[in-house]
Amino acid sequence: MFLVAMVSVSFLSWSGLYGLLSLFNRRRGPEWNCRLVTALHGVLSFSIASYSAFIEGPFPISLDVLGRESLRLHIVAMVVCLGYFLFDFSWCMAMQTEGPLMLCHHLLCITGLILSLSLGVCGAELSGTIVGSEITNPLLQLRWFLKQTNSYNSRLGAITDFAFVFLFITVRIGVGAWFFVVGMMSDRIMLIFKIGGAALYLISLIFLAQILSFARHKLFGGEGKSRKVPHTSNGVRLQNGTHEHIKSS
């Protein structure tokens, strides 16, 4: 019951923040305010998970720690993320902005977090996953805000694009592949977590294909026509209409 209460507080906190932004920042509209919540969640969850993984420990990419009991900061990071994902999934369903791939991503994250919190295990690997997925989130939101304020075609916009693509490929895909292999080798991680991890990594590879398509288009094919794009708590569409992705887990 205590975990249920913690997750409920997290969900209500993210929902309440969105409500306050909608009340006091009406001129910007729902998506702007939701993305502010998304950016804050990215910074907060990344900070907590990074501290638990690299400062307090244990280091998550190690066969010795995978599948073991979750520690206090692991639980805090997962509660923060689960409350946010419940809010964002509800927002996406209400606004009807997302396609099946992004909704599937959200459901996988929600299911994995609930299982880990309920069973009290795999906190280290979930925290590592949060670090890898949320590191690009602020850049993704910054890119969208730059577009909305007509500031995207600038040096800051170019730096943001480069940093996002670089971090996605090196951290999400590169380090993520190492993490994925180590997890699959562990005898202590339950099969259901391995299946979930494989599904999430597959989704990341699909996002990678879309990102590379965007990069090729931008470098060699011009900017193309700008499109109005829906909110995605895990991403937005890039200039040529492909998903740029990611935000949480």
Side-chain angles (χ1 to χ4, degrees):
M1 290 301 294
F2 180 66
L3 281 175
V4 173
M6 289 176 64
V7 172
S8 298
V9 169
S10 177
F11 170 74
L12 292 173
S13 297
W14 293 119
S15 302
L17 176 59
Y18 173 73
L20 288 174
L21 289 171
S22 299
L23 180 64
F24 293 106
N25 195 29
R26 294 178 182 177
R27 65 188 182 90
R28 287 298 189 180
E31 184 170 3
W32 181 286
N33 294 323
C34 191
R35 285 183 179 275
L36 287 175
V37 176
T38 294
L40 178 60
H41 161 260
V43 172
L44 180 60
S45 59
F46 174 80
S47 300
I48 296 172
S50 295
Y51 186 89
S52 69
F54 303 116
I55 298 178
E56 183 172 279
F59 184 64
I61 311 179
S62 170
L63 285 172
D64 294 333
V65 302
L66 297 182
R68 294 193 181 277
E69 182 179 353
S70 301
L71 302 180
R72 177 179 56 88
L73 270 184
H74 298 153
I75 294 172
V76 172
M78 289 189 288
V79 165
V80 169
C81 283
L82 180 55
Y84 167 77
F85 269 111
L86 291 171
F87 155 73
D88 195 62
F89 183 79
S90 302
W91 191 95
C92 291
M93 293 298 293
M95 297 297 179
Q96 294 291 301
T97 58
E98 297 308 318
L101 183 63
M102 192 61 64
L103 294 178
C104 179
H105 173 274
H106 276 43
L107 286 174
L108 282 170
C109 292
I110 289 170
T111 302
L113 290 166
I114 289 175
L115 283 173
S116 183
L117 287 169
S118 300
L119 298 173
V121 297
C122 294
E125 37 273 62
L126 266 293
S127 292
T129 301
I130 291 169
V131 171
S133 59
E134 295 301 336
I135 192 172
T136 53
N137 181 11
L139 293 170
L140 192 62
Q141 308 314 317
L142 174 59
R143 184 182 191 278
W144 188 86
F145 288 127
L146 289 173
K147 278 181 168 290
Q148 298 305 302
T149 55
N150 296 318
S151 303
Y152 175 67
N153 294 317
S154 63
R155 180 174 297 179
L156 179 58
I159 292 172
T160 301
D161 274 349
F162 174 81
F164 173 81
V165 174
F166 175 79
L167 287 173
F168 188 93
I169 293 174
T170 57
V171 178
R172 177 87 174 197
I173 301 301
V175 178
W178 178 28
F179 201 9
F180 174 72
V181 171
V182 172
M184 290 298 167
M185 292 171 58
S186 174
D187 295 329
R188 286 193 299 268
I189 295 181
M190 287 183 278
L191 179 61
I192 190 169
F193 285 107
K194 292 183 178 182
I195 293 173
L200 282 174
Y201 194 74
L202 176 60
I203 290 176
S204 293
L205 291 177
I206 296 173
F207 286 136
L208 174 64
Q210 296 171 337
I211 289 170
L212 293 177
S213 176
F214 157 73
R216 179 185 59 80
H217 178 86
K218 186 166 185 178
L219 290 173
F220 304 111
E223 283 294 321
K225 294 182 179 180
S226 178
R227 303 183 184 185
K228 186 180 184 302
V229 298
H231 165 83
T232 92
S233 87
N234 261 52
V236 296
R237 290 185 187 272
L238 296 174
Q239 188 70 20
N240 67 343
T242 59
H243 270 91
E244 145 179 300
H245 177 272
I246 200 164
K247 170 186 146 204
S248 219
S249 208

